[in-house]
């Protein structure tokens, strides 16, 4: 086999010069290419722009298979990060026209580049190397910068007129956290491998008045100075120390016993490496002094015990002198602090819009919270699919509405962006359908629910059956349809406790006291498993909305794909005409609340095992 090889190399910001010009950040470390690779006959360095081999009307060689690796190479100044490029020549018919291979590497940050061109001549009768494998070559030791991205292209010569054979790949060099790079000098100068085990020795003087603490650690190669600190509550002591050709350093601290309010302190070592200077990673370790505090602990325990005994005696004397007054006060407080008793499980029908799969997840988690934490029976179309399939959507809604209006149960309307949009469509606006409605077997249940329920809001007896709420983290008050603007609108979960009092037909504010149900406030509801799941569902949908501001428009289906159902505008007219009547009902029902004085008492509803 006859094989001839030569190399041209250039590195510049704009064009290639006739001499070898390289930058300090993108270059071949030893300024030459390894000429001892198997099968090479000759190597020389030249400008790669001297000869451009192009084959406009002949078959061009098949592109080579190539890959790269990132590692650490030795330079004159020590280990540096470098890239190696390896490629294989395919053994097919196109090898007859193969004259060379070119490698281009460009730094996207600085626009600096190098070009290495391999020229050779292969005997087409011996397309494999002596080991019967593909001919393999490599370009080693191209120095790169950490965190930079490089565009690398490898293509065979002669170069085709079209550029589809030389599509570049992007290579991003990792930082010092990567194990392949940690031994480069730039990383060592930032303390990449410095993780010394700390040793601490604690001694107490004979008078039990002073502590002596010795902190020892291994010094680093590229850090000459260190700041060693002892930290505790209200106590801070630091010392600077220099390496001075030592491999191990010891720092001694001396302080009085009374200076430490706690028997646990933290030792912190801050190194000052050449690279990171004042912003290097610190090393910490906790030190426990409790075993040396025995004498002091006994004195403290004795003092505390004496104070407890004196306090108990003083309390007993005060108790005897104030016995009658305390009994009278306790009786009055007991009468005012009796929590409301729930004699039967309340039932709630939830009306909502299927705006998004994540919003549907919130509704389901709210149902689980009402059932397990609040002991409430929940009626939801998603949880009653069997009966819904038998009766149909309109009959299912009307049957449940009649059952609730003839009992003490409630209808909870969860307002969202979809509720407002569907209400406007019912009043003559643009018809719409959401993706989740099309996926649901029951379809859109909100529009028929509003058609059935809004006329019943005219009657004052039915008005107390309806509760309007919205999740203020993922919805807003603008999502409430106009018929409900004069009603009380609860923000969930900030006002969930007030909403639950509505479900119980109990006032939170009563003359002389303010009722409170433990575990239902905004800060407490997430302490139980069902509450945590509800909070996580709300936060997940909120994060999705922040990432996708147009999420609601994305959920809308094209109206041309829908069979539009006309809705009588009389519902909107009736709702508008009765707003004054409903407003008067709300004013009468909230007058007592505004005049009440708060007196807090606790009431806890235990979690039940009934599934949602």
């Amino acid at each position: 086999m006859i094989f001839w090889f030569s190399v041209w190399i250039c590195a510049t910001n704009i064009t290639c010069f006739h001499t070898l010009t390289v930058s300090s950040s993108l270059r071949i470390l030893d300024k030459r290419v390894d000429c001892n690779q198997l099968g090479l006959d000759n190597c020389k360095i030249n400008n790669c722009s001297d000869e451009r081999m192009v084959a406009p009307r002949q078959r061009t060689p098949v592109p080579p298979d190539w890959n790269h690796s990132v590692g650490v190479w030795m330079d004159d100044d020590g280990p540096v990060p470098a890239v190696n490029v390896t490629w294989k020549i395919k053994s097919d018919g196109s090898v007859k026209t193969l004259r060379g291979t070119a490698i281009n590497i460009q730094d996207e940050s600085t626009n600096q580049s190098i070009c290495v061109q391999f020229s050779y001549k292969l005997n087409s009768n011996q397309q494999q190397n002596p080991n019967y494998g593909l001919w393999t070559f490599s370009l080693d030791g191209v120095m790169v910068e950490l965190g930079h991205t490089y565009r690398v292209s490898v293509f065979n010569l002669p170069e085709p007129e079209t550029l589809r054979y030389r599509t570049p790949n992007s290579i991003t060099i990792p930082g010092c956290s990567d194990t392949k790079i940690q031994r480069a000098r730039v990383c060592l100068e930032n303390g990449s491998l410095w993780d010394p085990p700390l040793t601490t020795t604690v001694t107490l003087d004979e008078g039990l008045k002073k502590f002596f603490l010795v902190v020892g650690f291994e010094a680093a190669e590229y850090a000459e100075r260190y700041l060693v600190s002892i930290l505790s509550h209200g106590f801070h002591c630091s010392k600077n120390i220099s390496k001075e050709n030592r491999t191990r350093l010891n720092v001694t601290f001396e302080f009085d016993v009374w200076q430490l309010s706690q028997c646990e302190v933290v030792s912190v070592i801050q190194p000052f490496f050449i690279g990171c200077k004042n912003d290097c990673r610190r090393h910490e370790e906790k030190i426990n002094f409790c075993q040396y505090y025995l004498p002091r602990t006994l004195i403290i325990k004795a003092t505390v015990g004496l104070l407890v005994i004196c306090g108990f005696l003083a309390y007993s004397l005060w108790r005897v002198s104030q016995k009658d007054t305390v009994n009278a006060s306790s009786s009055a407080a007991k009468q005012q602090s009796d929590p409301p008793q729930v004699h039967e499980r309340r039932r709630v029908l939830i009306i909502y819009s299927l705006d998004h799969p994540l919003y549907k997840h919130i509704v389901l988690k709210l149902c689980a919270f009402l059932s397990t934490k609040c002991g409430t029976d929940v009626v939801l179309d998603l949880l009653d699919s069997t009966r819904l399939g038998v009766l149909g959507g309109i009959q299912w809604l009307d049957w449940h509405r009649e059952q609730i209006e003839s009992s003490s149960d409630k209808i909870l309307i969860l307002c969202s962006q979809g509720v407002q949009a569907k209400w406007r469509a019912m009043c003559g606006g643009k018809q719409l359908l959401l993706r989740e409605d099309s996926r649901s077997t029951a379809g859109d249940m909100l529009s028929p629910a509003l058609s059935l329920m809004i006329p019943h809001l005219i009657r004052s007896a039915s008005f107390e059956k309806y509760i309007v709420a919205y999740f203020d983290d993922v919805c807003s008050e603008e999502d409430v349809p106009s018929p409900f603007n004069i009603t009380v609108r609860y923000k969930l979960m900030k006002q969930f406790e007030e909403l639950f009092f509505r479900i119980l037909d109990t006032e939170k504010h009563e003359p002389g006291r303010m009722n409170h149900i433990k575990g239902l406030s905004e800060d407490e509801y997430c302490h139980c498993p069902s509450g945590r799941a509800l909070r996580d569902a709300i936060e997940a949908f909120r994060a999705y909305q922040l990432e996708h501001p147009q999420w609601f428009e994305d959920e809308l289906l094209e109206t041309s794909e829908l069979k539009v159902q006309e809705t009588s505008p009389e519902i909107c007219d009736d709702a508008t005409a009765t707003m004054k009547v409903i407003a008067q009902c709300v004013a009468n029902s909230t007058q007592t609340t505004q005049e009440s004085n708060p007196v807090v008492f606790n009431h806890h509803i235990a979690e039940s095992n009934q599934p949602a």
Side-chain angles (χ1 to χ4, degrees), residues 346 348 350 366 369-370 374 376 410-415 464-471 488-508 517 520:
R346 295 302 176 95
V348 177
I350 297 182
L366 175 64
F369 182 72
L370 284 168
C374 304
T376 304
K410 306 293 181 183
I411 298 176
L412 174 59
I413 302 175
L414 295 177
C415 294
E464 292 297 330
K465 297 291 183 182
Y466 295 87
I467 304 174
V468 180
Y470 62 93
F471 293 95
V488 179
R489 288 150 292 180
Y490 296 95
K491 297 180 181 180
L492 303 180
M493 297 293 290
K494 293 181 180 178
Q495 299 174 338
F496 181 81
E497 187 182 34
E498 290 83 350
L499 182 147
F500 190 64
F501 276 114
R502 279 284 305 275
I503 295 177
L504 300 178
D505 288 325
T506 303
E507 293 292 338
K508 180 175 182 177
I517 301 178
L520 298 188

Side-chain angles (χ1 to χ4, degrees), residues 211 336 349:
F211 278 120
Q336 291 186 354
L349 170 61

Side-chain angles (χ1 to χ4, degrees), residues 264-331:
E264 186 177 78
V265 299
V266 178
S267 63
V268 181
I269 301 179
Q270 179 184 358
F272 296 90
F273 282 93
I274 298 175
C276 53
K277 300 184 184 301
N278 296 335
D279 192 26
C280 301
R281 182 170 56 93
R282 305 181 182 186
H283 292 262
E284 300 182 2
E285 182 172 310
K286 292 183 178 180
I287 306 173
N288 198 314
F289 287 86
C290 294
Q291 57 180 325
Y292 303 98
Y293 269 69
L294 182 58
R296 183 182 178 186
T297 304
L298 292 176
I299 295 175
I300 294 176
K301 288 183 178 180
T303 303
V304 172
L306 183 60
L307 291 175
V308 170
I309 294 174
C310 294
F312 177 76
L313 293 175
Y315 174 77
S316 299
L317 294 175
W318 176 84
R319 184 76 173 167
V320 171
S321 62
Q322 301 291 331
K323 182 176 181 181
D324 295 337
T325 305
V326 172
N327 289 338
S329 300
S330 300
S331 177

Side-chain angles (χ1 to χ4, degrees), residues 195-211:
D195 188 14
L198 306 184
T199 60
T200 56
T201 304
V202 181
T203 57
L204 194 63
D205 68 348
E206 295 180 357
L208 304 179
K209 295 182 180 180
K210 288 184 177 294
F211 278 120

Side-chain angles (χ1 to χ4, degrees), residues 520-536:
L520 298 188
S521 67
E522 181 184 8
D523 298 329
E524 296 177 345
Y525 83 95
C526 57
H527 292 169
C528 64
S530 58
R532 283 194 299 272
L534 174 58
R535 180 197 61 187
D536 295 342

